[in-house]
Amino acid sequence: MSTLQFHSQPQSRFESDIRFASSTSCSFRPRRNFTLPRRFRPRPLSLHSHSSTSLRPLPRAFSNDPAVTEKPSICTADELHYVPLPNSDWRLALWRYHPPPQAPPRNHPLLLLSGLGTNAIGYDLSPESSFARYMSGQGFDTWVLEFRGAGLSVQASNLKELKQSADAVSEQIEAIAKSVANEVSPQKQPTDVSGYLSDSEFYFLREDSIGIGTAWDEAKLVAELTEIFMRLSERLSGFLSESQSRLISTKLLDQISKLLEDSQLSERFEEVRIKLANVLEKQQNSVIASQIRDLSQRLVNIIEGGQRSVSPQFIDIQERLSSTIEDFQKQLDLIVKYDWDFDHYLEEDVPAAMEYIRAQTKPKDGKLLAIGHSMGGILLYAMLSRCGSEGREPRLKAVVTMASALDYRCSKPLKVLLPLADPAQALNVPAVPFGTLLAAAYPLASQPPYVLGWLNDLISAEDMMHPELLEKLVLNNFCTIPTKLIMQLTSAFGDKGLCDRSGKLSYRDHLNKSNVPVLAIAGDQDLICPPEAVEETVKLFPENLVTYKLFGEPHGPHYAHYDLVGGRLAMEQVYPCIVQFLSQYD
């Protein structure tokens, strides 16, 4: 292992060539010490200045959809491309930044991978704090991947649907930011996050999903119950294991049982419940489907009979059952919608993006340069390990990781995720709306009396990020995270470090077989990925191929988790270090 030595150089002429789509970006008023000299200020980029590359058809391996010519307002890249995932309706967003004509020529395109539950905005916070623009200014054809479920990546079957979905996502991101920035004052601190969440996100945060619903419709209820139990019987088309299906069906029946407890209907319901449980254990066929419908009808009839009772406790029981069924369907939909983990990113998202970029840029040796922050760097480690274990070529020329490790036992803040490692909890909470929760909590972290001030320390060290950029990062950069993804990542707290979904392959085991040069960067005050965690991962590589660099000084400045990408000194200290390293291998 070597330690990279470098000297900070004055800002090069690349800054005068930075191009910024001012008509599509969020505007921030920088402090005086953030204002660039006039000759360094970015020139506006016309919306119609897209390269003809964006109109070329995609490789046959994906689809014939062109790049988006009218980008959503949240996208500040030169181009927005979409990569279809095989056997899926997901379209992954790729933000592309072209090098200016005066930039030095490069031989390999550059792929940037973001962290857990984040989008591309973190790499392009503003013209004065844009890692993506900096790298393109240094000559690298720079691409930022947004994983499925993040940013502008959407589920769509055609170009029109894709554009509508992307615009909707862009508007939602901006609306959340505006609602927090404009409506929440120090005197009006948020105590309820429901206003910032969609119906599906808010559903599983409630303690009790049984409430007053709509008017009684027997036929509708029978159909809805039948659909639910049919889906459970089919194991939600492969999304649930047998034990998970049994667990979630038990949950629904428990909720219905709660409606009927201490009543004369309880015994009749238990009879139907036992029969339903037995039917759900059997293989799906037409006979089973008929039995499920009959039992659903009997269940509704029991509730309807209770409604006719003179007992006051049944006055709203039918409406409450309707509400219970509706909420339960939402949970089933969430389980299906957020059904992916870390290995899906590793085996599908990243390879699809790399293949697309290779087809668009055609590097002579077919290799890419790659940089990953946080989980993005973990994915690069895992890719090198997987290729080493299988004897495959990763087709990466060089790799840079920032704030990434494979063993997080020394990270205290991340241990709050451990309760979600319980498979039963993954069914109760299929996804965590991290972005909307963080946006709702932000005023408590940024305004007196700073009840949640410790959240800022996890993101940025003191005085290392401009307040407006920190606000933009918090309000615009984070997304909803599937619990299945969190479950796999919690294996990084075990003795074997991060493992594949089966738990058999540790991604630490085969890094010694890697032949790709790696620069591993850490921040001295990173509480999420402490320097010692990065050092332990670095030791797993061949010594002649890995370089470790720690940023931060005993008396300041200090670097926390996001300062390596968006801190006020990153352009002077971190970015040149990365360029120097990659230039050796480009």
Side-chain angles (χ1 to χ4, degrees), residues 14 17-19 43 98-104 133 135-139:
F14 88 92
D17 298 309
I18 292 178
R19 296 178 297 158
R43 299 191 303 269
H98 287 290
Q102 301 88 343
R133 287 283 172 196
M135 297 308 291
S136 67
Q138 291 292 312

Side-chain angles (χ1 to χ4, degrees), residues 317-346:
I317 197 169
Q318 294 173 338
E319 288 81 0
R320 294 168 68 194
L321 177 62
S322 298
S323 178
T324 298
I325 294 171
E326 180 182 351
D327 288 342
F328 202 81
Q329 285 179 319
K330 289 181 181 179
Q331 186 179 25
L332 295 185
D333 291 339
L334 280 172
I335 292 173
V336 174
K337 180 179 179 180
Y338 292 100
D339 184 65
W340 67 85
D341 56 22
F342 179 86
D343 283 353
H344 283 99
Y345 289 157
L346 178 64

Side-chain angles (χ1 to χ4, degrees), residues 15 24 50 80 82 166 206 241 306 359 433 478 531:
E15 290 178 286
T24 62
H50 298 299
L80 178 61
Y82 275 95
R206 294 180 294 169
S241 66
F478 297 94

Side-chain angles (χ1 to χ4, degrees), residues 370 384 396-400 514-519 541 544-547 581-582 585:
L384 296 178
L396 292 169
K397 191 67 176 179
V399 161
V400 178
S514 174
N515 61 355
V516 178
V518 174
L519 169 62
F541 285 92
N544 64 318
L545 287 176
V546 66
T547 301
F581 175 80
L582 293 180
Y585 304 100

Side-chain angles (χ1 to χ4, degrees), residues 65 82-92 148 153-158 161-162 165 239 336-337 340 348:
D65 293 343
Y82 275 95
V83 183
L85 278 181
N87 304 316
S88 169
D89 59 354
W90 276 106
R91 300 295 185 267
L92 306 182
R148 70 183 80 184
S153 291
V154 296
Q155 291 176 291
S157 57
N158 55 61
E161 187 176 317
L162 183 152
S165 299
F239 289 99
V336 174
K337 180 179 179 180
W340 67 85
E348 300 176 13

Side-chain angles (χ1 to χ4, degrees), residues 493-506:
F493 296 105
D495 294 337
K496 296 170 62 178
L498 182 66
C499 297
D500 68 354
R501 68 169 65 96
S502 72
K504 297 178 181 178
L505 173 65
S506 169

Side-chain angles (χ1 to χ4, degrees), residues 59-343:
R60 285 186 302 168
F62 300 102
S63 82
N64 293 322
D65 293 343
V68 175
T69 54
E70 295 182 10
K71 300 172 298 174
S73 59
I74 204 73
C75 178
T76 52
D78 295 330
E79 296 174 1
L80 178 61
H81 292 246
Y82 275 95
V83 183
L85 278 181
N87 304 316
S88 169
D89 59 354
W90 276 106
R91 300 295 185 267
L92 306 182
L94 272 172
W95 296 32
R96 187 180 191 179
Y97 300 80
H98 287 290
Q102 301 88 343
R106 301 289 181 176
N107 298 315
H108 300 90
L110 173 63
L111 172 62
L112 305 184
L113 301 179
S114 302
L116 175 65
T118 60
N119 55 40
I121 293 174
Y123 281 127
D124 191 10
L125 284 172
S126 77
E128 297 82 23
S129 182
S130 173
F131 182 57
R133 287 283 172 196
Y134 183 102
M135 297 308 291
S136 67
Q138 291 292 312
F140 297 99
D141 187 352
T142 303
W143 303 70
V144 184
L145 171 64
E146 293 186 315
F147 302 106
R148 70 183 80 184
L152 296 176
S153 291
V154 296
Q155 291 176 291
S157 57
N158 55 61
L159 189 59
K160 179 180 179 181
E161 187 176 317
L162 183 152
K163 187 180 185 306
Q164 291 174 343
S165 299
D167 287 340
V169 170
S170 179
E171 291 171 4
Q172 182 182 24
I173 292 174
E174 293 177 326
I176 291 174
K178 290 178 181 178
S179 66
V180 175
N182 298 334
E183 296 177 11
V184 179
S185 65
Q187 291 75 31
K188 186 181 178 182
Q189 300 287 353
T191 58
D192 177 16
V193 301
S194 60
Y196 302 108
L197 306 179
S198 66
D199 290 341
S200 60
E201 290 173 330
F202 184 59
Y203 159 68
F204 53 83
L205 297 178
R206 294 180 294 169
E207 294 182 1
D208 185 359
S209 64
I210 300 176
I212 303 302
T214 56
W216 176 264
D217 185 333
E218 179 181 337
K220 180 181 178 182
L221 283 176
V222 172
E224 290 175 343
L225 274 174
T226 301
E227 179 186 359
I228 287 176
F229 289 123
M230 288 283 285
R231 292 174 72 187
L232 289 171
S233 178
E234 295 170 344
R235 313 286 184 244
L236 278 177
S237 301
F239 289 99
L240 298 178
S241 66
E242 182 176 339
S243 60
Q244 290 174 324
S245 179
R246 187 184 307 115
L247 185 67
I248 201 167
S249 61
T250 299
K251 178 182 177 181
L252 173 60
L253 294 172
D254 283 345
Q255 289 181 339
I256 297 175
S257 179
K258 184 178 180 180
L259 294 174
L260 304 175
E261 62 185 358
D262 300 326
S263 75
Q264 66 270 30
L265 302 180
S266 178
E267 185 175 340
R268 292 176 58 196
F269 170 75
E270 287 302 318
E271 177 185 347
V272 174
R273 175 179 183 150
I274 293 172
K275 290 182 179 180
L276 264 173
N278 291 334
V279 168
L280 293 174
E281 294 288 335
K282 299 177 182 179
Q283 190 69 29
Q284 180 66 258
N285 56 45
S286 58
V287 176
I288 297 300
S290 177
Q291 291 179 353
I292 289 176
R293 176 169 180 79
D294 290 344
L295 290 170
S296 298
Q297 180 68 62
R298 288 183 61 185
L299 184 58
V300 171
N301 290 342
I302 290 174
I303 305 297
E304 186 177 21
Q307 184 74 13
R308 298 193 186 101
S309 169
V310 294
S311 175
Q313 72 184 97
F314 289 104
I315 291 177
D316 66 343
I317 197 169
Q318 294 173 338
E319 288 81 0
R320 294 168 68 194
L321 177 62
S322 298
S323 178
T324 298
I325 294 171
E326 180 182 351
D327 288 342
F328 202 81
Q329 285 179 319
K330 289 181 181 179
Q331 186 179 25
L332 295 185
D333 291 339
L334 280 172
I335 292 173
V336 174
K337 180 179 179 180
Y338 292 100
D339 184 65
W340 67 85
D341 56 22
F342 179 86
D343 283 353

